[in-house]
């Protein structure tokens, strides 16, 4: 089992460019999540998908869109990148029950110039 | 509103000494609490969780956590620290206001430095 995979690992964008971060899980989890991690701020939830076909905003959704393509895949899109979106992005899956933990991907380090 | 706090940005401990990483929480119902570890340039790894029952929870890599309802705390502990335990540690609480979505609320993280 690969667990949660993310592509790309690193990306540099110029302000105004767009890109899509890809995430896939092979654990048959219903729920998937996108977080950003910034120094001193912990992890902040951008969007989540509680089940295939549904998506909801998290704490910091502005400037992002998501697509739950199927049960395995959950993508995050930046339509017009801004320097404030420079961050490390993590995808996670699982945790749907009250007792379930989330499983994290290795992350994407994004720099917006 | 649910929240979790990690009052220390960094904890320093000598190898072989016991370590404690602190976490306090605020929830409106029964707390479901988690600890994760993040090694440099890696994703978060699950260490342990408290759901109900015994207040001392044992997890991966020799870590354990003590749930204290009266003090609303869930401190992470290890009897004898290793240099390889040096990492960033996150406490998280289940968001009870989010129905069945499994959302977690994370603390800001505590950097653990274990010196030889």
């Amino acid at each position: 089992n690969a667990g949660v995979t993310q592509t790309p690992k690193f990306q540099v964008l110029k302000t105004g460019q767009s890109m899509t971060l890809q995430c896939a899980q092979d654990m048959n989890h219903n729920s998937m999540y996108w977080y950003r991690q910034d120094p001193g701020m912990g992890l902040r939830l951008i969007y989540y998908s509680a089940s295939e076909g549904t998506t909801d905003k998290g704490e910091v959704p502005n400037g992002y869109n998501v697509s739950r393509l199927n049960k395995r895949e959950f993508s995050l899109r930046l339509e017009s990148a801004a320097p404030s979106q420079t961050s490390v992005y993590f995808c996670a899956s699982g945790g749907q029950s009250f007792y379930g933990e989330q499983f994290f991907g290795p992350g994407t380090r994004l720099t917006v110039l | 509103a649910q929240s979790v706090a990690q009052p220390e940005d960094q904890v320093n401990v000598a190898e072989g000494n016991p370590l404690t990483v602190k976490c306090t929480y605020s929830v409106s119902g029964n707390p479901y609490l988690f600890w994760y570890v993040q090694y440099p340039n890696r994703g978060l790894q699950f260490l342990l969780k408290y759901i109900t029952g015994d207040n001392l929870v044992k997890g991966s890599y020799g870590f354990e956590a003590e749930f204290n309802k009266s003090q609303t705390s869930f401190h992470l502990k290890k009897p004898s620290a290793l240099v390889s335990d040096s990492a960033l540690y996150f406490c998280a609480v289940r968001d009870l206001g989010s129905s069945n979505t499994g959302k977690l609320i994370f603390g800001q993280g505590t950097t653990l430095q274990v010196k030889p």
Side-chain angles (χ1 to χ4, degrees), chain A residues 30-78:
Chain A
N30 287 324
S31 297
M32 297 185 73
Y33 312 84
W34 276 106
Y35 294 90
R36 60 178 289 172
Q37 182 181 23
D38 302 290
M41 304 194 73
L43 273 76
R44 293 182 292 170
L45 184 64
I46 304 171
Y47 270 93
Y48 65 98
S49 171
S51 62
E52 186 179 354
T54 68
T55 60
D56 284 287
K57 295 178 180 179
E59 184 184 353
V60 288
N62 290 347
Y64 306 95
N65 285 302
V66 290
S67 295
R68 183 73 183 267
L69 304 170
N70 48 55
K71 192 170 186 178
R72 289 187 63 249
E73 299 172 289
F74 187 40
S75 63
L76 177 72
R77 183 162 178 82
L78 287 69

Side-chain angles (χ1 to χ4, degrees), chain A residues 72-92:
Chain A
R72 289 187 63 249
E73 299 172 289
F74 187 40
S75 63
L76 177 72
R77 183 162 178 82
L78 287 69
E79 291 290 352
S80 179
S84 60
Q85 294 178 304
T86 294
S87 187
V88 182
Y89 291 86
F90 289 101
C91 178

